């Protein structure tokens, strides 16, 4: 039998089963001067308990954080949990949302609750309070927002349970806001309203983006992150391989939202012609601006070649819609207007791409290889150069504005 390591002991449960545990010193409490210890139970063998104790002592010597579960508050645990999320594969936008929801909705109400004392009743009381007066100025929060708060708590406690810090996930036992209260039905544009929008947008420099969104249902981040190397005009396909999203106002390149989001989408003849014309216009602009052009390889760029800021796309989309008589206003359809979530392009009833013809709508995915556009020129790899968002202006609704800006820029460079 191996020699027992100091700090490792055996204990017997009330039903007669035998397990091993360890106790490790955490040093004196800086406030009270009392000795602090951490106990970890439930090991089936003495060797397992000894190995876990060695790992805990190494973490303390390296200056790492070792959970003092008995004295830690739930908010202190959340702070350490949030600090470790960037080392995981979680998206930066998701981490930012978790931090904002923790700061705005969780900390003000659960700040003094001990981690080990947190119960389903605490969480249910939190959800009721938020739905009654959790918004700005004491206004009620929507069930959808409260459900997001519940998911943050469930994820955080679930990670603690998975790592052995807690024995159970109390968030799974709490009654969450009913999904029946969520307004999942968003008003959809009719085919005529969609045709009205596309007809009005035909002179806009982002017309190709709007058309592609209308026929494919691509997300805003997928459209802004689209590169010419992912477009094959010959095969009439668009491949979604990266996104360009915004976190705390700063754009950043990331991978698609899920494995299913990585897909190849077919496009119809009319959309292919529009994309080819967009390619030609972009090349003409690059030749005119010359040294002022930044070659990034993106499909939808500014007048100097840098990628379109996603917030600019939303602002210009909203500004254009407000000038039209369509049944759904993006300013009221959702909190953050984007082509995918606000215009009901992907949900338009009975949509036909052309008034005189009804082409086959794009299939959701197809595993085929893609190539560059019809011109065999392959742009260099993207350089991450951004333009900050700007307020939409009424005179920006035509391609003439874009060409005028290119001309002004070229003259200034000369």
């Amino acid at each position: 039998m191996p020699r027992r390591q100091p700090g490792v002991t055996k204990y017997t449960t009330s039903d007669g089963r035998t397990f091993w545990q360890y106790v490790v010193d955490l040093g004196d409490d800086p406030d009270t001067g009392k000795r602090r210890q951490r106990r970890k139970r439930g090991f089936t063998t003495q060797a397992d308990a000894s190995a876990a104790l060695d790992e805990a002592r190494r973490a303390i010597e390296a200056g790492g954080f070792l959970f003092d579960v008995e004295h830690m508050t739930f908010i202190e645990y959340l702070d350490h949990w949030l600090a470790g999320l960037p080392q995981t594969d979680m998206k930066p936008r998701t981490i930012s949302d978790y931090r904002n929801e923790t700061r705005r909705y969780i900390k003000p109400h659960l700040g003094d609750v001990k981690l080990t004392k947190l119960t389903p009743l605490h969480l249910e009381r939190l959800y009721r309070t938020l739905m009654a007066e959790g918004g700005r100025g004491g206004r009620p929060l929507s069930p959808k927002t409260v459900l997001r708060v519940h998911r943050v708590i469930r994820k955080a406690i679930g990670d603690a349970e998975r790592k052995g810090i807690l024995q159970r996930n109390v968030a799974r036992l709490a009654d969450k806001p009913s999904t029946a209260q969520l307004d999942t039905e968003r008003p959809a544009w009719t085919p005529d309203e969609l045709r009205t929008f596309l007809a009005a947008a035909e002179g806009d420099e982002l017309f190709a983006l709007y058309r592609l969104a209308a026929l494919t249902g691509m997300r805003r981040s997928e459209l802004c992150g689209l590169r010419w190397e992912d477009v094959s005009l010959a095969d009439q396909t668009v491949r979604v391989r990266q996104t360009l999203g915004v976190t705390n106002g700063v754009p950043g390149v990331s991978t698609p939202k899920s494995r299913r989001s990585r897909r190849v989408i077919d496009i119809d003849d009319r959309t292919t012609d529009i994309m080819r014309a967009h390619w030609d216009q972009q090349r003409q602009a690059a030749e005119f601006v010359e040294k002022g052009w930044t070659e990034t390889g993106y499909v939808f760029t500014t007048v100097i070649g840098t990628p379109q800021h996603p917030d600019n796309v939303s602002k210009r989309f909203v500004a254009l819609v407000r000038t039209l008589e369509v049944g759904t206003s993006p300013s009221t359809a959702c909190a953050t207007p984007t082509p995918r979530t606000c215009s009901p392009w992907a949900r338009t009833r009975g949509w036909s791409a052309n008034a005189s013809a009804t082409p086959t709508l794009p299939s959701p995915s197809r595993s085929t290889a893609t190539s560059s556009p019809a011109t065999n020129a392959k742009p260099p790899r993207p350089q991450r150069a951004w333009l900050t968002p700007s307020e939409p202006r009424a005179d920006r609704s035509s391609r003439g504005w874009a060409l005028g800006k290119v001309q002004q820029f070229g003259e200034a460079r000369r």
Side-chain angles (χ1 to χ4, degrees):
M1 183 175 181
R3 183 178 179 181
R4 183 177 300 180
Q5 181 180 5
V8 176
T9 58
K10 182 168 58 175
Y11 68 96
T12 304
T13 62
S14 58
D15 58 1
R17 294 184 298 168
T18 300
F19 293 95
W20 293 84
Q21 65 180 358
Y22 75 74
V23 178
V24 62
D25 284 327
L26 299 177
D28 295 336
D29 190 305
D31 297 326
T32 64
K34 294 183 179 180
R35 183 184 182 185
R36 297 181 303 169
Q37 292 182 320
R38 181 197 175 188
R39 183 185 305 272
K40 179 68 174 177
R41 302 164 63 100
F43 298 99
T44 56
T45 66
Q46 178 182 343
D48 290 342
S50 298
L53 176 59
D54 290 338
E55 183 179 352
R57 286 173 174 168
R58 285 194 296 269
I60 295 173
E61 293 173 359
F65 179 76
L66 194 62
F67 288 102
D68 183 8
V69 178
E70 296 299 326
H71 299 89
M72 175 175 288
T73 66
F74 179 52
I75 297 307
E76 289 173 339
Y77 166 71
L78 282 180
D79 287 338
H80 288 283
W81 175 71
L82 290 169
L85 290 182
Q87 281 71 53
T88 67
D89 58 357
M90 188 175 290
K91 302 291 185 183
R93 176 62 181 270
T94 303
I95 296 174
S96 176
D97 290 343
Y98 280 9
R99 286 173 175 164
N100 290 334
E101 284 151 12
T102 299
R103 173 180 53 83
R104 297 176 61 184
Y105 304 126
I106 302 176
K107 284 188 175 183
H109 300 281
L110 297 177
D112 298 329
V113 180
K114 297 293 185 182
L115 177 61
T116 56
K117 302 297 183 182
L118 188 67
T119 67
L121 295 179
H122 285 111
L123 302 183
E124 291 170 3
R125 188 182 306 119
L126 168 66
Y127 302 154
R128 288 195 300 268
T129 301
L130 293 178
M131 293 185 69
E133 53 185 32
R136 293 182 180 179
R139 292 191 294 268
L141 280 181
S142 69
K144 182 178 180 180
T145 302
V146 180
L147 187 59
R148 289 204 310 267
V149 174
H150 167 75
R151 288 169 178 164
V152 173
I153 297 174
R154 184 184 63 189
K155 170 64 174 171
I157 301 179
D159 285 351
E161 179 188 31
R162 179 172 55 84
K163 296 176 181 179
I165 300 169
L166 294 175
Q167 298 300 315
R168 64 173 184 169
N169 188 343
V170 296
R172 286 202 299 264
L173 306 177
D175 292 335
K176 62 183 179 181
S178 173
T179 55
Q181 303 178 55
L182 302 180
D183 182 17
T184 56
E185 280 295 324
R186 289 178 178 170
W189 279 350
T190 65
D192 288 340
E193 288 172 334
L194 181 54
R195 291 191 189 97
T196 298
F197 170 80
L198 291 178
E202 191 163 356
D204 193 283
E205 61 177 302
L206 293 179
F207 174 59
L209 183 148
Y210 298 146
R211 172 78 186 197
L212 197 60
L215 268 291
T216 65
M218 292 172 64
R219 298 177 177 91
R220 181 186 73 167
S221 59
E222 294 171 346
L223 291 163
C224 293
L226 187 64
R227 299 162 298 180
W228 284 116
E229 65 186 69
D230 300 324
V231 177
S232 173
L233 299 180
D235 296 333
Q236 295 186 267
T237 59
V238 172
R239 171 175 285 180
V240 178
R241 295 198 298 181
Q242 73 169 28
T243 62
L244 177 60
V246 180
T247 303
N248 295 326
V250 179
V253 176
S254 183
T255 56
K257 187 175 182 179
S258 64
R259 180 178 297 181
R260 293 184 62 184
S261 296
R262 294 177 177 270
R263 60 200 188 279
V264 178
I265 306 173
D266 296 321
I267 56 178
D268 64 292
D269 294 340
R270 172 66 174 150
T271 304
T272 302
D273 292 339
I274 292 172
M275 293 292 291
R276 183 174 288 108
H278 181 75
W279 163 269
D280 293 339
Q281 292 159 8
Q282 191 181 85
R283 293 302 92 201
Q284 292 172 9
E287 293 175 2
F288 187 88
V289 175
E290 295 179 349
K291 294 183 179 180
W293 180 267
T294 301
E295 189 61 75
T296 61
Y298 282 82
V299 175
F300 304 111
T301 64
T302 65
V303 295
I304 58 172
T306 54
Q308 281 283 351
H309 195 294
D311 288 348
N312 271 347
V313 173
S314 290
K315 288 178 181 180
R316 297 194 52 185
F317 167 71
V318 172
L320 177 59
V321 170
R322 284 174 178 165
T323 65
L324 307 175
E325 295 182 358
V326 292
T328 301
S329 171
S331 61
T332 59
C334 64
T336 306
T338 66
R340 180 180 173 85
T341 61
C342 292
S343 89
W345 293 336
R347 300 179 301 278
T348 301
R349 301 181 297 275
W351 160 244
S352 170
N354 301 291
S356 58
T358 306
T360 303
L361 288 178
S363 59
S365 63
R366 185 164 66 88
S367 22
T368 57
T370 61
S371 59
S372 298
T375 70
N376 293 319
K378 184 176 181 180
R381 294 184 64 84
Q383 305 171 24
R384 298 184 182 179
W386 317 107
L387 290 186
T388 56
S390 58
E391 292 296 328
R393 284 170 34 183
D395 60 346
R396 294 188 177 186
S397 60
S398 67
R399 188 173 291 116
W401 172 85
L403 296 178
K405 292 295 290 184
V406 171
Q407 185 175 5
Q408 292 173 16
F409 189 88
E411 292 174 350
R413 296 288 296 184
R414 291 191 176 111

